[in-house]
Amino acid sequence: MYKQLTMAASVDVAVIRGVIPEELTNGIVTPNNTKKPSPNALQPKLNEFILEYASKYGKPIAFAREKNGAIVQDIYPMPGDEKIQISSSSNVVLQMHTETAFHRYKPDWVILACVKGDKKAETLYATLDEILKELDEKTIWELRHGEVITTVDPSFLRSGEKNREIVVSPISGFGANKWCLTYDADLMRGLTDHSSAALKKLGAAVAKCTRSVTLNTGDILVINNRVAVHGRKPFKARYDGTDRWVKRVLLREEMPPRSAMKGSVIVSEA
């Protein structure tokens, strides 16, 4: 059913070329207004296909405060968001980040299914195995034990919600083969000189290890959110129905406790 897997530089990021059937994307028109979406903005068959493909990586989740809890999230440029650090931006580099870095129940996997490609809208990524090679032991120790905070993703604050500061460990786990990366270039800062210096070195390592991939219509990008960060280069949005459009699915291998959930939607704030 699926075409041959084409791996990126690391097994933690994979590009599957041309996997979405053409009949599900032919003639598709990119929406540009959330109040009056294009009739093809919610396509049951396309969403069903993407969810079926994504399900091999875990159980789909969503967040109540992001995109109204949608399980399949539509990502395309929006007028007015051009320069904001949010997925609907276009004119700025979307800074490298772990998806929902601030949240205790962040996804294990991020699936980006491209239903309308744009050759100028390159996706960026970097993986922890390469990043660690650029860091000395003292810096790694500081990133595991230092005082670093992040704030809430802007996409969770679209209805006037209050921002928060959350303490995080950019590197966590129990050894090189089990370490996890939590990073947001735009939202994180150190609380001490040592943690700030370590975070700066981490940012430099991420930049050095960053690679890019261009998604074409029909491609799917798989990102291991525990050990890979991603972003996007700027591009010019046209708002004419031909802009880049990806559908995003977030997945966890183990679900949060029932007290944090309502169906498949995470309702806990952080």
Side-chain angles (χ1 to χ4, degrees):
M1 181 178 180
Y2 302 121
K3 295 186 179 181
Q4 184 178 2
L5 180 69
T6 302
M7 300 302 292
S10 167
V11 295
D12 298 318
V13 178
V15 184
I16 302 88
R17 296 292 187 187
V19 67
I20 303 174
E22 291 184 9
E23 61 265 25
L24 296 180
T25 59
N26 281 343
I28 203 164
V29 177
T30 304
N32 59 37
N33 188 318
T34 55
K35 295 181 180 179
K36 296 180 180 179
S38 164
N40 58 29
L42 298 174
Q43 296 194 24
K45 288 185 178 179
L46 178 55
N47 288 353
E48 287 173 10
F49 177 88
I50 294 168
L51 280 173
E52 179 185 356
Y53 185 88
S55 65
K56 67 178 72 177
Y57 295 96
K59 296 180 180 179
I61 59 167
F63 294 90
R65 287 174 54 182
E66 184 180 50
K67 294 188 176 295
N68 298 315
I71 297 296
V72 180
Q73 303 172 355
D74 291 289
I75 309 295
Y76 46 80
M78 284 292 298
D81 290 352
E82 289 88 350
K83 297 183 179 181
I84 303 175
Q85 283 297 309
I86 194 172
S87 59
S88 53
S89 67
S90 53
N91 287 358
V92 293
V93 174
L94 186 62
Q95 298 290 337
M96 300 293 279
H97 63 282
T98 298
E99 196 69 32
T100 61
F102 73 96
H103 208 287
R104 73 181 74 180
Y105 302 126
K106 55 184 175 289
D108 297 320
W109 296 93
V110 178
I111 305 295
L112 299 178
C114 184
V115 297
K116 177 73 77 171
D118 185 332
K119 294 188 180 299
K120 294 184 179 180
E122 297 179 58
T123 300
L124 305 172
Y125 67 91
T127 58
L128 183 56
D129 58 346
E130 294 188 350
I131 293 167
L132 286 173
K133 296 175 183 178
E134 303 297 325
L135 300 174
D136 58 75
E137 291 185 7
K138 182 179 179 181
T139 299
I140 293 173
W141 188 95
E142 188 66 40
L143 292 169
R144 294 180 67 197
H145 302 95
E147 298 180 21
V148 174
I149 62 170
T150 187
T151 52
V152 176
D153 288 356
S155 60
F156 285 69
L157 305 174
R158 302 286 275 180
S159 299
E161 297 89 346
K162 291 184 179 180
N163 207 340
R164 297 175 59 189
E165 294 184 343
I166 299 99
V167 177
V168 297
S169 297
I171 295 178
S172 59
F174 306 96
N177 294 328
K178 295 183 179 180
W179 280 348
C180 295
L181 175 64
T182 302
Y183 180 70
D184 193 308
D186 182 55
L187 301 180
M188 282 187 177
R189 65 182 177 89
L191 293 178
T192 67
D193 290 343
H194 291 299
S195 60
S196 295
L199 196 59
K200 185 176 181 179
K201 289 181 180 179
L202 175 58
V206 169
K208 185 174 182 179
C209 297
T210 294
R211 302 170 183 264
S212 66
V213 62
T214 300
L215 298 180
N216 303 315
T217 301
D219 294 347
I220 288 180
L221 177 65
V222 179
I223 301 169
N224 185 336
N225 196 51
R226 295 163 293 197
V227 293
V229 290
H230 64 284
R232 193 210 61 240
K233 287 186 177 182
F235 64 100
K236 179 66 175 178
R238 297 174 293 272
Y239 306 121
D240 61 357
T242 66
D243 284 320
R244 175 184 186 264
W245 180 9
V246 299
K247 286 179 176 284
R248 182 173 65 191
V249 179
L250 311 176
L251 304 112
R252 282 183 59 90
E253 295 177 8
E254 294 184 9
M255 296 298 275
R258 291 184 179 180
S259 60
M261 303 288 293
K262 185 175 181 180
S264 296
V265 178
I266 296 174
V267 294
S268 99
E269 292 189 0

